[in-house]
Amino acid sequence: MHPIVELENVVKEYPLGRVTVRALRQVNLALDRGEFTVVAGPSGSGKTTLLNLVGGIDVPTSGEVRIDGRATSRLSDRALTALRLEKLGFIFQSFNLINVLDVVQNIEFPLLLQGELSRRERRVRVDALVERVGLQEQVRQRPGELSGGQRQRVAIARALVTRPAIVLADEPTANLDSATGTAIIELMREINHTDHTTFIFSTHDPKVMERADRVVPILDGRLEADTHSRSRAAPVEAR
Amino acid sequence: MTRLDRIALLLWMGVRNVFAHKVKSLLVGGILFFGTVLIVVGGSLLGSVQASMERSVTSSLSGHAQVYAKDAKDALSLFPSGPMGSMDVGEIPDFHAVRETLVAMPGVLDVVPMGILDAIVLQGTELDRLLDRLRDAVAGGRSDEVSLLTWELQNIASGLERDLLAVRTASADPSKEDAEIADLRRVQDPAFWADLAADPESGLTFLESRVAPLGSDGKALYLRLIGTDLSRFEANFDRFRIVDGSRVPAGSPGLLVTKRFYETQVKNAVARGFDTIREARRAGRTLAEDPLLQEEVRRNVRQRRRVLYQIRPDEAEAVRAELLEVLPGASGDLDAILETFLQVDDANFEVRHEVFYRAIAPRIRLYDLAIGDTITLRSFTRSGYARAANVTLYGTFEFQGLERADLTSVNHLVDLTTFRSLYGSMSAGQQAELADIRASVGVDDVARDEAEAALFGGDPNDLVVAPEAEAAPTDTPPTWVRDVPPASDDGPVLNAAVVLDPGSSERLSVSDLQAELDARDLGVQVVDWKRAAGLIGQLVTVLQVVLWVGVAIVFIVAMAIVNNTMMMSVMERVQEVGTLRAIGTQRRAVVGIFLVETAILGLVAGVAGAGVGLALVAGLHAVGIPAVADILVLVFAGPSLHPTLSLAGLVEGILLVLVVALVSAFQPTLLAARTSPAVAMSPKE
Ligand SMILES: Nc1ncnc2c1ncn2[C@@H]1O[C@H](COP(=O)(O)OP(=O)(O)OP(=O)(O)O)[C@@H](O)[C@H]1O
Ligand SMILES: [Mg+2]
């Protein structure tokens, strides 16, 4: 079984006026199913850039990113978008919910985009997730009426609703106080345990790093040798 | 099922977003709202004006279409649109065939032959009329009448002398005035009349040659004539109605003038002054406050001799007595009393108006041309030859609803035969004669102008008489008499009105008629009422252009604002769009979300705007827009316009606004769709 995401000699450059910013330099990484991985590094080290590539939101300048075996730079925007919808779930630093939709509608949204499940099936799945993230009382509220932690729970539910192969979270706790942040990480950890959902998220919070199976340190666009704090880690691919 | 749920979600998001982005929605929605109101109301006014003008024009003159020669030099214009006598539309080559062809088409009711020309009526002055009567009286030896006329002529001479003395003081070289004054004094001298009794001819010649020209100028009335088959005209134009007098008996030369022209151009100036003041006072204006009306009063006082000279001396005393009844304390001769009488004010006007029409009007010639008079119409043919024809003025007419429309009042009606003799057409006899001339001079082709010269001689005042020998280089001077009037189809016809059957299921268009005529190669062109009406018809087109240009400008501005607002809205929402894209929303779907949102806004604004527009039109319909200017009477086909609105007009307005909204939102929407999903990752603020 091949890794769910593979990065091979990935370089990402951003043209910035006359200069070129080299955000990632020769990155190799493989993520296996069921892993709970943290990308850790200081500000500007390239965490977001890395997650963008892993999540098929952006494509590498050179090298290859394969999501579920498909090289993202060879896909059309349409196919890449469809790939994101099928295989990936996203949790954002600023939650990024759709403000005009209530909790249930926000969670259900990706399922409607997919258009595969019946109304009943969607209902069952959304209800289960609402319960899972503990928002039974808030189902008809809109994001504006929720606290930051509640919003991020909605975001987690939305990311999980399509049962994606991998969930990405870019600094999911950065906008939360530390207690709430810890609770959110605990929730993700729990879901990873029970459902074996693959997670990758970035942080520079040491407390968050502690909770990870695997920590991939990043500095100046280069990955350092990563550490596996938990026993059930996958083989290391970084060289 | 999912599909429906998706659409439901899309609509839900659209509605919520419209409410969520209040400033944008109010701005864009407001503009679209006013745009719809503008389109709906403007479209309704324009449509109603077009319909009413079409009714005006088609029911008064043009019919549904007009036919005239293909090779006409000028475009046909039923209403005057250039200087007098300037329109040359040629002749329909074979009217009989045109008529047969068109009448055979189902849906065509009739084809009415016409011809337009400008004519002049020269009117003698009051002095001329008195001198004519004097000559008759002298010849008939009626001495009573002669002495009455003597008295009147002396009066007139003394009045004219007073006027001339005033002119003389202002004149740098009074020698001309001095001579004229001497002539007028001679007329006032009883010795002159004694001489006249002895030698009538030299006295009358003196009066006619020296004194008559001193009378105020005889006026020339300009008449734009439509020569037509009068009975067919009346049968086909149901708004036509005789007001005074009677219709022209079939086969007789006859003239009908419009009631409005008759009242404003032909009526005695003083009587008209009374009418004008009365009308103005009825409209709420007062003599005390309105300087224009005060001027009208002063003019009436100045023009009192137009009444004075017409009152016979044997009736002067009776008139004087009746006027004195309402002028206690006034004294002096009739002239002085009239002067006082005509100085009306708000308090006495109604009484004086009544007295004028009771005591004076029946004793004067109230109209320069009286119904029943025989009138000499003069015209000039295209080559400058004068033609003249005597017709009887049978009456006045008007078109119902268009009584006050100046433009429809300028066209008067004559019978075709009279028209043809004024137009200078050649009857069969004349044509035969022209052939003779051709044969005798050995010319194959004699141009019409030359032929006229040949036929009618060079004297422009020459009536339709046998040409003089010098007219043509021919040994045997042709002689001819006027033919019997040709049947209306046979002589020249310049244009013709095609009247369609409104009840017919056939909806004939101009091109249908044209195709049928072309199939027979009849050399005529068909134009719709709008083009046939000339300038006034173009007014509709101009209004149309003005409205649409106005709408276009408003919409371009609206589109720019809507576009800008949407652009800003999209920029504000990049994070939202980036998120949608990141979690797997296709570009098309993003476009869909924005367009649905815009469409909802456009629809709400459009329906609201159409509703308000409808209410406005309904209000205008109930109240009516008054035709404040006389030209508007024609445009509105009546004294006021009651605009209407069709369901199609409403729907069109809403659709147009919707399209405008979507078009102006399209570019910002595409821009939104191009948002990179990566922006979702960058934290807010
Ligand atoms: N769109 C872009 N255009 C130009 N330069 C960029 C762009 N995105 C990132 N960079 C640059 O690439 C480098 C890596 O940025 P990235 O956002 O991946 O870092 P990060 O580790 O996520 O930082 P932070 O902790 O501040 O979020 C930085 O130097 C950044 O300035
Ligand atoms: Mg970052």
Side-chain angles (χ1 to χ4, degrees):
Chain A
M1 206 167 72
H2 58 78
I4 186 78
V5 176
E6 281 179 288
L7 276 70
E8 214 177 285
N9 300 327
V10 164
V11 173
K12 181 66 188 179
E13 293 170 346
Y14 293 110
L16 195 72
R18 293 224 192 120
V19 295
T20 305
V21 178
R22 196 163 263 232
L24 290 179
R25 323 162 179 240
Q26 291 293 329
V27 168
N28 288 287
L29 180 66
L31 299 172
D32 283 328
R33 284 164 216 274
E35 274 190 332
F36 196 81
T37 308
V38 166
V39 181
S43 184
S45 54
K47 302 184 292 293
T48 301
T49 306
L50 182 66
L51 287 188
N52 280 348
L53 295 178
V54 169
I57 276 175
D58 211 341
V59 291
T61 310
S62 70
E64 205 166 81
V65 175
R66 284 188 296 276
I67 299 174
D68 205 20
R70 301 169 74 188
T72 55
S73 43
R74 279 184 223 140
L75 295 177
S76 66
D77 177 79
R78 224 190 127 109
L80 197 55
T81 305
L83 184 70
R84 289 198 299 271
L85 179 61
E86 292 310 312
K87 303 280 176 196
L88 294 146
F90 291 87
I91 299 165
F92 304 96
Q93 182 180 329
S94 16
F95 325 130
N96 297 17
L97 300 176
I98 301 169
N99 288 324
V100 297
L101 301 182
D102 65 21
V103 167
V104 167
Q105 288 171 318
N106 261 291
I107 297 172
E108 193 187 11
F109 191 83
L111 291 181
L112 279 169
L113 287 179
Q114 285 185 334
E116 282 158 5
L117 299 186
S118 72
R119 188 179 287 180
R120 252 186 64 82
E121 291 167 322
R122 293 198 308 268
R123 186 84 248 165
V124 168
R125 206 183 271 194
V126 171
D127 284 351
L129 277 166
V130 167
E131 207 181 309
R132 188 74 191 263
V133 298
L135 290 173
Q136 297 95 319
E137 305 297 312
Q138 285 80 23
V139 281
R140 283 301 157 201
Q141 293 184 11
R142 285 197 273 145
E145 300 159 329
L146 299 175
S147 71
Q150 288 171 329
R151 288 189 217 181
Q152 202 59 306
R153 284 163 193 272
V154 178
I156 291 168
R158 177 177 70 182
L160 293 170
V161 78
T162 55
R163 302 200 171 140
I166 179 166
V167 174
L168 292 91
D170 190 19
E171 307 202 34
T173 60
N175 285 3
L176 302 173
D177 62 71
S178 77
T180 316
T182 308
I184 289 293
I185 295 298
E186 271 316 308
L187 176 63
M188 291 200 280
R189 181 73 231 179
E190 202 186 301
I191 290 164
N192 168 254
H193 263 295
T194 51
D195 303 351
H196 307 293
T197 310
T198 315
F199 277 90
I200 178 168
F201 56 100
S202 69
T203 189
H204 47 247
D205 182 351
K207 272 200 284 186
V208 173
M209 289 178 230
E210 281 171 18
R211 315 290 311 155
D213 289 343
R214 177 182 176 193
V215 177
V216 180
I218 184 168
L219 192 67
D220 279 342
R222 274 184 234 277
L223 300 189
E224 318 265 303
D226 54 330
T227 55
H228 292 262
S229 56
R230 310 270 167 142
S231 51
R232 43 182 292 277
V236 181
E237 297 259 329
R239 279 172 285 250
Chain B
M1 218 37 179
T2 331
R3 198 183 189 84
L4 273 180
D5 289 340
R6 270 152 91 162
I7 293 168
L9 182 76
L10 206 60
L11 291 174
W12 172 263
M13 284 176 74
V15 172
R16 301 303 312 215
N17 273 321
V18 166
F19 282 102
H21 305 275
K22 287 198 180 62
V23 176
K24 182 210 79 171
S25 298
L26 281 179
L27 205 68
V28 173
I31 290 167
L32 297 177
F33 169 81
F34 283 112
T36 322
V37 173
L38 182 81
I39 294 179
V40 167
V41 175
S44 152
L45 287 181
L46 189 76
S48 307
V49 160
Q50 182 153 355
S52 60
M53 265 205 66
E54 177 168 0
R55 238 178 306 130
S56 281
V57 175
T58 55
S59 66
S60 67
L61 260 189
S62 75
H64 297 90
Q66 281 271 332
V67 182
Y68 66 108
K70 228 172 208 167
D71 57 5
K73 278 206 201 83
D74 299 321
L76 175 71
S77 174
L78 292 175
F79 298 108
S81 50
M84 191 177 148
S86 60
M87 188 175 72
D88 182 0
V89 295
E91 287 173 26
I92 294 177
D94 184 355
F95 175 70
H96 187 74
V98 167
R99 188 176 139 75
E100 294 293 294
T101 304
L102 291 177
V103 168
M105 293 176 78
V108 174
L109 269 187
D110 204 352
V111 178
V112 183
M114 291 182 176
I116 301 171
L117 64 76
D118 295 298
I120 305 170
V121 178
L122 292 175
Q123 288 181 289
T125 60
E126 192 52 33
L127 201 52
D128 292 328
R129 273 196 284 273
L130 288 175
L131 291 176
D132 282 350
R133 278 169 61 196
L134 181 65
R135 192 175 269 281
D136 282 354
V138 169
R142 297 190 297 274
S143 57
D144 273 6
E145 198 176 344
V146 171
S147 57
L148 197 71
L149 289 164
T150 303
W151 188 88
E152 281 188 57
L153 286 164
Q154 286 175 327
N155 255 341
I156 290 177
S158 104
L160 287 172
E161 186 192 335
R162 250 178 290 156
D163 292 348
L164 266 176
L165 283 169
V167 175
R168 187 185 177 280
T169 49
S171 175
D173 174 20
S175 60
K176 177 169 162 276
E177 283 80 11
D178 284 340
E180 290 168 356
I181 288 166
D183 289 341
L184 289 170
R185 292 220 167 114
R186 196 175 156 207
V187 175
Q188 291 169 69
D189 186 350
F192 170 78
W193 297 97
D195 291 349
L196 186 130
D199 177 5
E201 193 48 45
S202 67
L204 286 170
T205 307
F206 171 79
L207 285 170
E208 282 163 5
S209 61
R210 303 290 296 270
V211 177
L214 301 181
S216 49
D217 293 332
K219 78 180 165 173
L221 284 176
Y222 295 90
L223 297 178
R224 195 165 192 274
L225 298 178
I226 307 249
T228 186
D229 181 328
L230 290 168
S231 53
R232 236 189 253 169
F233 185 91
E234 190 176 351
N236 284 295
F237 295 98
D238 52 7
R239 285 189 169 214
F240 171 87
R241 160 164 93 95
I242 298 280
V243 186
D244 310 302
S246 64
R247 53 178 61 82
V248 177
S252 357
L255 170 69
L256 296 171
V257 297
T258 60
K259 175 69 174 165
R260 187 172 172 79
F261 172 83
Y262 197 60
E263 290 301 324
T264 58
Q265 313 277 313
V266 184
K267 199 168 189 176
N268 176 281
V270 176
R272 198 162 71 229
F274 269 105
D275 294 352
T276 308
I277 296 168
R278 181 165 221 227
E279 220 171 279
R281 279 171 44 85
R282 292 244 159 117
R285 291 155 65 190
T286 62
L287 284 161
E289 280 163 24
D290 196 318
L292 284 174
L293 285 188
Q294 292 160 10
E295 176 52 35
E296 194 71 39
V297 173
R298 282 193 291 277
R299 194 167 61 218
N300 253 6
V301 172
R302 277 201 305 278
Q303 301 210 342
R304 64 184 180 279
R305 289 193 195 129
R306 288 188 184 255
V307 170
L308 184 69
Y309 293 163
Q310 290 193 36
I311 297 170
R312 292 157 52 98
D314 53 345
E315 289 186 332
E317 204 39 55
V319 172
R320 194 166 168 270
E322 290 200 65
L323 296 188
L324 281 175
E325 268 175 39
V326 292
L327 297 171
S331 62
D333 59 4
L334 185 55
D335 188 22
I337 286 172
L338 253 181
E339 189 174 352
T340 318
F341 176 77
L342 292 173
Q343 274 154 4
V344 293
D345 59 32
D346 289 310
N348 64 28
F349 178 79
E350 291 302 325
V351 172
R352 301 227 176 146
H353 178 273
E354 188 268 325
V355 172
F356 176 84
Y357 274 99
R358 177 164 48 78
I360 298 177
R363 296 179 162 114
I364 62 172
R365 237 179 117 76
L366 200 53
Y367 295 92
D368 293 343
L369 307 175
I371 290 167
D373 280 0
T374 296
I375 292 164
T376 304
L377 295 170
R378 286 160 211 276
S379 72
F380 292 90
T381 63
R382 226 145 270 304
S383 45
Y385 289 92
R387 311 297 312 266
N390 286 337
V391 287
T392 303
L393 174 62
Y394 274 94
T396 66
F397 70 97
E398 66 190 12
F399 294 108
Q400 232 161 347
L402 305 176
E403 298 86 353
R404 267 174 58 219
D406 273 325
L407 215 54
T408 45
S409 305
V410 299
N411 291 321
H412 312 285
L413 298 173
V414 281
D415 65 289
L416 263 184
T417 312
T418 304
F419 164 77
R420 283 172 183 149
S421 66
L422 287 169
Y423 174 69
S425 64
M426 285 170 284
S427 62
Q430 288 167 298
Q431 274 166 356
E433 188 190 318
L434 180 62
D436 281 350
I437 297 171
R438 276 191 192 147
S440 60
V441 292
V443 186
D444 289 334
D445 185 27
V446 179
R448 196 183 126 170
D449 297 351
E450 294 163 27
E452 276 183 70
L455 275 171
F456 307 128
D459 180 358
N461 286 316
D462 201 3
L463 201 49
V464 186
V465 293
E468 304 303 321
E470 92 248 1
T474 169
D475 301 331
T476 48
T479 54
W480 57 276
V481 280
R482 216 162 148 166
D483 295 86
V484 278
S488 71
D489 282 8
D490 295 336
V493 169
L494 310 195
N495 58 298
V498 183
V499 180
L500 301 180
D501 181 358
S504 167
S505 53
E506 302 278 330
R507 283 265 148 262
L508 288 173
S509 69
V510 163
S511 45
D512 296 336
L513 301 174
Q514 184 76 65
E516 195 74 12
L517 291 165
D518 283 348
R520 283 167 184 69
D521 201 18
L522 291 171
V524 287
Q525 53 181 315
V526 186
V527 292
D528 63 6
W529 67 272
K530 227 191 267 183
R531 281 178 58 198
L535 279 183
I536 186 75
Q538 283 161 33
L539 188 77
V540 175
T541 316
V542 169
L543 285 176
Q544 222 160 7
V545 169
V546 166
L547 179 80
W548 290 123
V549 166
V551 165
I553 290 172
V554 168
F555 271 78
I556 286 167
V557 172
M559 281 170 99
I561 298 175
V562 170
N563 180 278
N564 227 290
T565 313
M566 295 294 291
M567 204 68 128
M568 278 157 60
S569 171
V570 162
M571 307 236 263
E572 232 171 62
R573 288 162 70 177
V574 279
Q575 177 107 25
E576 178 192 332
V577 179
T579 305
L580 289 173
R581 297 279 289 125
I583 66 175
T585 313
Q586 294 289 356
R587 281 181 177 162
R588 305 187 302 182
V590 171
V591 170
I593 288 170
F594 275 83
L595 289 188
V596 164
E597 190 180 322
T598 308
I600 289 170
L601 186 55
L603 207 63
V604 169
V607 168
V612 169
L614 182 66
L616 281 175
V617 171
L620 289 174
H621 180 81
V623 176
I625 305 166
V628 283
D630 281 341
I631 181 132
L632 289 179
V633 176
L634 179 79
V635 174
F636 291 178
S640 62
L641 182 71
H642 298 269
T644 55
L645 192 56
S646 63
L647 185 65
L650 272 181
V651 173
E652 269 167 33
I654 295 172
L655 286 183
L656 188 63
V657 164
L658 211 53
V659 168
V660 164
L662 291 177
V663 166
S664 44
F666 199 64
Q667 185 220 356
T669 299
L670 284 189
L671 195 83
R674 252 181 257 128
T675 305
S676 158
V679 297
M681 287 299 223
S682 52
K684 243 188 260 175
E685 275 102 69

